[in-house]
Amino acid sequence: MRYLPEHYTTFIHNPKTAGTSISQWLDANFKTVEGKKHGHIVEVNTYFPNTTYTFGVVRNPWERLASWYLFANHGNQNFKDWLLKRVTKNASNLSFQPFLLWARAWYSLDTPQHDWFGTYTKILRFENLEEDFTQIQDKLDCHIPLPTTNNNVEYNYCLLYRSEAADDSLRVDLGGRRIIKTKGGGGG
C-alpha cells in the first residue's frame, strides 16, 4: 500500500495483481508513505485518513491463484498438493475453504478481491493493466511507463486445473466454482 500525501491518493495492493510494479513506479515518481504491504480499505481509512482517492487492481481469480502457486511454491509441490495443503474444513458449511496458513493475515486465498477496496475505489484490471493504468498516469500527470517486476515464467494457468488437480471426493471450491475437470467427460 502506498499513500501519496501531495495527491491524497492511496494505492491498495491486493496480492498477485502487479502491486510491486505499481509500488515501485509510485516510489520512483512521487513522495510516498509506505503502509502495510497488503493493506486494505480499513487500513487506508485508519492510517491515511486524508485519502480522497484510492485505486487497486483485480485479476482473474483462476490465474491469480495459479500465479500465487508459481510464486510461492518454487516447484516443491504439484498444484493439487499445494492447494490442498492450504485448504481447511469449515464446519459451519461443511465445505472446504482455501486458507492462507502461512500469512496469518485477515485475508485468505478465497477472500473476494472486492473486499480489499472501498465503494469508491478505482478498480483496474490486471488483464488490461497497461491500458487501465493510463487513468492513474493521467490523474497523477506522470506518463513514465510502468515497470514489470515479479514476473513468473510464461505459463498457461488453465493447465493447472486439469483433472489431476481435482478430486471428486473433496470438491474443492475456489470462490464458488469447483475446479475445472477436462478429462473423462468432465465438468464442475
Side-chain angles (χ1 to χ4, degrees):
M1 181 165 54
R2 294 292 191 276
Y3 175 60
L4 287 66
E6 295 171 359
H7 297 272
Y8 305 102
T9 296
T10 300
F11 164 60
I12 299 172
H13 182 174
N14 176 12
K16 301 313 298 168
T17 58
T20 300
S21 296
I22 294 170
S23 295
Q24 288 178 356
W25 184 86
L26 293 169
D27 292 343
N29 297 299
F30 301 95
K31 176 184 174 189
T32 60
V33 177
E34 185 174 349
K36 189 174 178 183
K37 182 173 183 175
H38 297 127
H40 55 89
I41 191 64
V42 173
E43 292 169 324
V44 170
N45 296 334
T46 300
Y47 298 111
F48 308 122
N50 293 330
T51 296
T52 59
Y53 184 84
T54 56
F55 73 98
V57 181
V58 296
R59 184 176 188 175
N60 172 322
W62 297 84
E63 183 177 5
R64 182 172 172 249
L65 184 57
S67 176
W68 213 325
Y69 162 73
L70 292 170
F71 178 77
N73 184 49
H74 307 292
N76 296 324
Q77 290 179 299
N78 66 42
F79 183 62
K80 176 184 174 183
D81 292 342
W82 180 86
L83 178 62
L84 293 178
K85 184 175 180 181
R86 285 150 182 83
V87 172
T88 60
K89 192 161 189 154
N90 181 340
S92 66
N93 64 9
L94 299 179
S95 69
F96 284 82
Q97 300 294 321
F99 180 70
L100 195 59
L101 299 172
W102 50 267
R104 301 200 188 279
W106 68 271
Y107 60 90
S108 65
L109 290 174
D110 69 336
T111 298
Q113 292 179 68
H114 65 79
D115 283 3
W116 291 84
F117 310 115
T119 304
Y120 301 105
T121 299
K122 177 66 181 172
I123 303 296
L124 311 178
R125 291 194 55 224
F126 179 87
E127 293 77 12
N128 300 327
L129 190 57
E130 188 173 330
E131 179 182 335
D132 286 2
F133 196 70
T134 61
Q135 297 169 69
I136 303 306
Q137 292 169 313
D138 290 344
K139 177 174 180 32
L140 299 174
D141 195 27
C142 180
H143 295 89
I144 295 171
L146 183 65
T148 303
T149 58
N150 286 351
N151 270 356
N152 288 321
V153 295
E154 288 292 320
Y155 68 97
N156 178 348
Y157 72 90
C158 295
L159 295 177
L160 291 173
Y161 296 95
R162 324 186 288 274
S163 61
E164 292 82 30
D167 184 326
D168 281 338
S169 67
L170 295 178
R171 298 208 181 261
V172 175
D173 185 17
L174 299 175
R177 292 184 222 156
R178 196 166 159 260
I179 291 178
I180 298 171
K181 291 191 77 167
T182 57
K183 282 191 191 171

